[in-house]
Amino acid sequence: MILHCSQKLAAKLPVVSSTPLEETSPLGSWHGHLLTLDRRQCVMFCHDATRYVLFLPGLRKEHFAELGERWFRPLYLATLAMLGCPDTQIKKVELALGPMRFDTTTARSVQGSLRVAKQDLEAWRYRVP
C-alpha cells in the first residue's frame, strides 16, 4: 500500500521516496496530511478512489516511525469492524494491505478532499451546542 504524503507529513517520516511508487495493492493508495489541532500533531488519511477519510489524533515524534503498521492499519481495520464488515472480510483486507510505503507524489483533487474534511472537522470542534 502506498501513502502519498504532503510535504509536512513527509518531513516527519523516516523513509519517503521522492519518485512515484507503483501501487501493487488491490485496495488502492491513500493520501496523508499532517495538521495541528490544539497543539497536537494529527494525521488525516484519504483514500484516493473513494475519498474515505480517517483521522488519527495526538501523534508524538516516535509514532511516525511506525505510522503504517502500528497506527494506520489498526485504525482502518477498526473502522471497517464498526461499519459492520464481517471478520472474514476484515482478515482479507488486512492481508491485501501489505506493507506501507511512502512517497511525495500527490493529487490536487485528493488534497482538496482532505482540505474539506479538515474544515468540516474544525467546524464540528467549534460548533455551539
Side-chain angles (χ1 to χ4, degrees), residues 1 25-28 73 76-77 80 85-99:
M1 187 186 88
S25 172
L27 301 176
R73 183 181 300 266
Y76 182 45
L77 298 175
L80 292 177
C85 291
D87 288 340
T88 54
Q89 191 175 16
I90 293 173
K91 296 278 187 207
K92 288 179 183 178
V93 168
E94 186 173 13
L95 292 173
L97 282 175

Side-chain angles (χ1 to χ4, degrees), residues 1 50 60 67 75 96 99 109 112-114:
M1 187 186 88
T50 63
R60 292 188 297 245
L67 185 64
L75 174 66
S109 64
S113 297
L114 279 167

Side-chain angles (χ1 to χ4, degrees), residues 52-102:
Y52 184 69
V53 175
L54 298 173
F55 177 69
L56 189 59
L59 292 173
R60 292 188 297 245
K61 184 178 180 178
E62 60 271 11
H63 296 155
F64 289 99
E66 302 171 328
L67 185 64
E69 297 303 315
R70 183 150 184 229
W71 299 103
F72 174 81
R73 183 181 300 266
L75 174 66
Y76 182 45
L77 298 175
T79 59
L80 292 177
M82 292 301 295
L83 289 172
C85 291
D87 288 340
T88 54
Q89 191 175 16
I90 293 173
K91 296 278 187 207
K92 288 179 183 178
V93 168
E94 186 173 13
L95 292 173
L97 282 175
M100 185 176 275
R101 300 175 297 153
F102 306 99

